[in-house]
Amino acid sequence: MTGTTGGTGHDERLRRWRMVLGGGEADGTGRSLTGTDAAMDGALTALYGGGTKKTGANGTGRDRSAGLGASAPSVARWLGDIRTYFPSSVVQVMQRDAIDRLGLSTLLLEPEMLEAVEADVHLVGTLLSLNKVMPETTKETARAVVRKVVDDLEKRLATRTRATLTGALDRSARISRPRHRDIDWNRTIRANLKNYLPEYRTIVPERLVGYGRAAQSVKKDVVLCIDQSGSMAASVVYASVFGAVLASMRSIATRLVVFDTAVVDLTDQLDDPVDVLFGTQLGGGTDINRALAYCQSQITRPAETVVVLISDLYEGGIRDEMLKRVAAMKASGVQFVALLALSDEGAPAYDREHAAALAALGAPAFACTPDLFPEVMAAAIEKRPLPVPDTARTLRNP
């Protein structure tokens, strides 16, 4: 933590403790703040200042409550202050806390407010939840905010995703009796190192490894089936971005389906993830069985299909039917992936009984970070074990 009044040694320690404890008679530091430190403390108090007691003029105790005021100008000033005094990562956390603790969601319906906030995945989730009540004057600004976040995510994730999945597609298409021009020499040499003849300083290639020739054809079908209940907001954002990246690859036919108690196919909007996001409706119930029934009806090449269910598994539909559909898809050759979340935060609250039932079917359910997702998809495409994070391995054998 930095400020203009910081010192060294004992004074600096007192200053830091004063910033942490928030002042008042009980903090024990006896330290007052000035300058930038005082401004930072004021910004923090406005958000986190509740929970302590002060004595009023009549001698009665009263809560010292947090608050930014009810007007958009006061909130906009506070947003400007925290962006001045804190790094972007901290600003995003404070914005999220302000929305949760102080009920500022409705103020995000005003264009000037949206222009003042620091855009991130969680803000996008909040805007999407307000989509239906958002006035027309705000929607253009909201789309610009969402566009900025989506563009940043695509820059971060697209190149590695395409490279990882292109390699997986090539490996899955390799053939064991290639023509000379189709031989993958690097893998052929590695596969035959045991046949090295030192006296001749050569390798006898007993097994040739080659590439398939259908490089421009569709090799895999991928179905992203996304739970759009309110708790899955960040996952919806990341899944929409990944859906657009996958759809841009000519070797993968991508379908994107979102669901609550209804099922909506947004595949025709995959060229623009912002359109996908504004086509979702966060909140409502959950009918996983109905969603999987629709996805199952769209499968034409089971052995070349990967179905990715992204859900916290709280099923409002028919549980046994849901599990039967997963079992039937796997029996037909579909690679089925169950992700409890696709976000940086880890697993949310989820239905452990349903997760255990999926694990028993050979489909362990686990939370996946955006950075791990390309590896998960590559493993599914190559039909090898999924790279389940260590923290989720208990779901393999519940």
Side-chain angles (χ1 to χ4, degrees):
M1 191 174 293
T2 60
T4 58
T5 60
T8 59
H10 180 66
D11 284 345
E12 176 63 10
R13 286 194 297 273
L14 283 179
R15 169 186 164 273
R16 289 173 177 265
W17 275 113
R18 166 61 183 81
M19 295 292 288
V20 169
L21 295 173
E25 295 177 359
D27 79 357
T29 65
R31 176 83 183 215
S32 61
L33 299 176
T34 59
T36 300
D37 284 347
M40 292 171 65
D41 186 62
L44 291 167
T45 298
L47 179 56
Y48 303 112
T52 61
K53 291 281 187 180
K54 281 189 176 181
T55 302
N58 59 2
T60 60
R62 60 181 177 86
D63 288 329
R64 190 187 92 180
S65 60
L68 300 176
S71 68
S74 65
V75 178
R77 283 194 297 272
W78 180 79
L79 289 169
D81 287 345
I82 64 174
R83 292 174 74 172
T84 299
Y85 302 128
F86 302 99
S88 177
S89 58
V90 175
V91 169
Q92 291 172 7
V93 172
M94 293 179 71
Q95 286 179 172
R96 201 179 317 158
D97 287 346
I99 292 169
D100 292 341
R101 293 165 61 98
L102 304 179
L104 299 185
S105 296
T106 54
L107 287 179
L108 294 177
L109 301 179
E110 302 182 22
E112 61 270 23
M113 282 295 299
L114 286 179
E115 292 171 355
V117 296
E118 186 84 17
D120 69 343
V121 169
H122 299 280
L123 177 64
V124 169
T126 300
L127 292 178
L128 296 179
S129 69
L130 299 170
N131 186 24
K132 283 203 169 181
V133 299
M134 190 176 292
E136 291 299 323
T137 54
T138 304
K139 285 189 175 180
E140 184 176 346
T141 306
R143 286 185 71 91
V145 171
V146 174
R147 173 76 62 192
K148 179 181 183 302
V149 174
V150 167
D151 287 348
D152 289 345
L153 290 178
E154 281 195 292
K155 289 176 184 176
R156 167 188 157 193
L157 301 170
T159 300
R160 180 167 171 265
T161 299
R162 291 193 186 99
T164 300
L165 297 191
T166 297
L169 290 164
D170 286 344
R171 289 189 292 273
S172 69
R174 286 193 174 109
I175 53 179
S176 59
R177 298 181 64 185
R179 290 174 289 184
H180 185 271
R181 62 184 176 181
D182 295 332
I183 295 174
D184 180 344
W185 288 107
N186 288 333
R187 286 181 62 86
T188 295
I189 291 170
R190 285 198 296 271
N192 291 278
L193 286 174
K194 63 182 179 181
N195 302 321
Y196 179 67
L197 301 177
E199 62 272 28
Y200 296 104
R201 300 180 67 183
T202 190
I203 292 173
V204 177
E206 290 183 353
R207 182 168 71 90
L208 299 177
V209 180
Y211 295 104
R213 297 295 295 166
Q216 299 305 317
S217 64
V218 173
K219 296 175 182 176
K220 293 291 179 180
D221 299 332
V222 173
V223 182
L224 300 177
C225 186
I226 309 167
D227 183 343
Q228 59 177 353
S229 58
S231 61
M232 303 297 294
S235 298
V236 171
V237 176
Y238 280 115
S240 298
V241 172
F242 277 117
V245 173
L246 296 177
S248 72
M249 300 179 65
R250 297 171 63 182
S251 298
I252 298 177
T254 306
R255 183 172 294 277
L256 189 143
V257 176
V258 298
F259 68 92
D260 42 35
T261 53
V263 179
V264 181
D265 192 327
L266 296 176
T267 302
D268 61 350
Q269 299 178 37
L270 269 176
D271 59 329
D272 188 344
V274 175
D275 286 341
V276 170
L277 289 171
F278 277 93
T280 63
Q281 179 56 53
L282 292 177
T286 307
D287 193 337
I288 302 173
N289 177 56
R290 186 175 183 180
L292 291 181
Y294 176 80
C295 294
Q296 192 176 21
S297 73
Q298 303 300 306
I299 296 172
T300 58
R301 303 190 304 157
E304 304 302 330
T305 299
V306 178
V307 174
V308 183
L309 172 66
I310 304 174
S311 173
D312 55 16
L313 301 180
Y314 286 111
E315 172 63 320
I318 306 172
R319 175 185 184 274
D320 291 342
E321 288 295 319
M322 175 190 75
L323 296 175
K324 286 179 182 178
R325 291 192 191 283
V326 175
M329 282 190 276
K330 286 183 64 65
S332 70
V334 171
Q335 299 297 301
F336 189 88
V337 179
L339 301 181
L340 301 170
L342 178 56
S343 68
D344 291 306
E345 278 70 39
Y350 62 93
D351 191 307
R352 293 181 176 274
E353 184 179 349
H354 289 162
L358 288 175
L361 294 174
F366 57 96
C368 178
T369 64
D371 289 337
L372 180 63
F373 185 73
E375 300 298 335
V376 170
M377 290 301 300
I381 286 171
E382 295 182 64
K383 301 182 179 181
R384 54 183 171 83
L386 301 179
V388 179
D390 289 338
T391 55
R393 291 190 186 280
T394 55
L395 294 180
R396 285 183 177 272
N397 299 294

